[in-house]
Amino acid sequence: MAPAMAHGAGTSSAITFRTPATKSPAWTSPALVVLVGHSSGGLSLTQALHEFGDKISLAIFVAATMLPFGILTEQDARDVVADLSEYGDVYEYNYGMGPDNPPTSVYFKKEFQRKILYQMSPEEDSILASMLLRPSSKIAFKTAKFSGGDVERVRRVYIKTMNDRMVKPEQQEAMIRKWPPSEVMTINTDHSPFFSAPEELCRLILKASNSSLAAK
């Protein structure tokens, strides 16, 4: 099985999700793939389940948005949109459609990035991540809706980040209750376990992959 990972969700003008994972040459291989989605990249992962479910052996959601058909209701939005009001005004807004229209993307202010996203990660990693951080599409996130695929045919594993300040554990639990995966794992990290505990995250991903093989 070939692994691929989606970090956050990329968008086109048609508000569809496309990431390196969904463009991977693995789709043309007879071998099934394991897909890993982190944070809003869970939306890309869900779209892949709809479009390429017959090519996917396992879907792993790491502190990721996990809704079977995207954001359909106000309750869905409440379950997945981070409530960061305790930190004050954490975002810079981009008005790509003009100042008289709602913002099209948001960007974390630098002073809040480590506090919310990387508080348990090595400082050098958080500095590099801050340099690479890009705005998130506000429109795409709120209008993400998927249909047409049998998403239940693919085994799913959710990895909960227990010290997450971005997608809080209770938000993760709400998504798990709404669409129960085959297995739930936990890791005692911030929102970015690939920085704060990369070896432990790798161990969990391999464990989930091996369990998926054993289940077949």
Side-chain angles (χ1 to χ4, degrees):
M1 292 183 291
M5 185 163 185
H7 296 279
T11 65
S12 71
S13 58
I15 316 300
T16 58
F17 290 81
R18 287 293 182 269
T19 69
T22 58
K23 295 178 180 178
S24 170
W27 297 125
T28 63
S29 168
L32 297 180
V33 300
V34 174
L35 289 187
V36 183
H38 170 254
S39 195
S40 58
L43 293 169
S44 300
L45 184 47
T46 300
Q47 184 180 18
L49 292 179
H50 281 276
E51 295 187 8
F52 307 107
D54 59 333
K55 294 286 190 178
I56 301 170
S57 170
L58 174 66
I60 303 176
F61 293 76
V62 181
T65 304
M66 187 178 70
L67 296 168
F69 303 105
I71 301 172
L72 302 180
T73 68
E74 290 185 5
Q75 184 58 51
D76 288 339
R78 285 193 290 270
D79 286 342
V80 303
V81 175
D83 179 8
L84 304 176
S85 56
E86 63 189 280
Y87 300 102
D89 184 10
V90 303
Y91 292 122
E92 295 176 0
Y93 295 93
N94 178 49
Y95 294 85
M97 299 175 66
D100 296 329
N101 292 296
T104 52
S105 63
V106 297
Y107 181 78
F108 262 108
K109 293 180 178 178
K110 288 190 179 297
E111 61 265 32
F112 293 105
Q113 291 174 11
R114 179 166 176 79
K115 184 181 295 186
I116 296 172
L117 300 175
Y118 318 116
Q119 82 272 11
M120 297 175 67
S121 301
E123 187 171 1
E124 59 269 28
D125 286 337
S126 67
I127 291 172
L128 176 59
S130 179
M131 294 169 61
L132 299 174
L133 197 63
R134 296 292 181 267
S136 298
S137 173
K138 195 172 179 66
I139 294 177
F141 190 79
K142 287 189 173 182
T143 60
K145 296 177 177 63
F146 312 119
S147 62
D150 181 10
V151 294
E152 299 297 342
R153 65 181 164 177
V154 179
R155 188 170 184 269
R156 287 174 293 109
V157 170
Y158 199 98
I159 299 178
K160 288 176 63 177
T161 44
M162 301 307 292
N163 296 291
D164 200 320
R165 295 176 178 174
M166 180 68 189
V167 184
K168 296 180 173 65
E170 54 268 30
Q171 288 179 285
Q172 298 178 57
E173 189 59 39
M175 290 185 286
I176 289 168
R177 287 196 305 269
K178 183 170 290 188
W179 190 23
S182 305
E183 185 176 2
V184 177
M185 299 175 168
T186 61
I187 187 168
N188 291 317
T189 68
D190 54 20
H191 187 59
S192 306
F194 35 82
F195 293 141
S196 51
E199 292 182 359
E200 175 66 8
L201 177 62
C202 184
R203 186 186 71 79
L204 291 179
I205 290 173
L206 290 175
K207 180 180 178 181
S209 300
N210 290 334
S211 296
S212 180
L213 281 173
K216 292 192 178 298

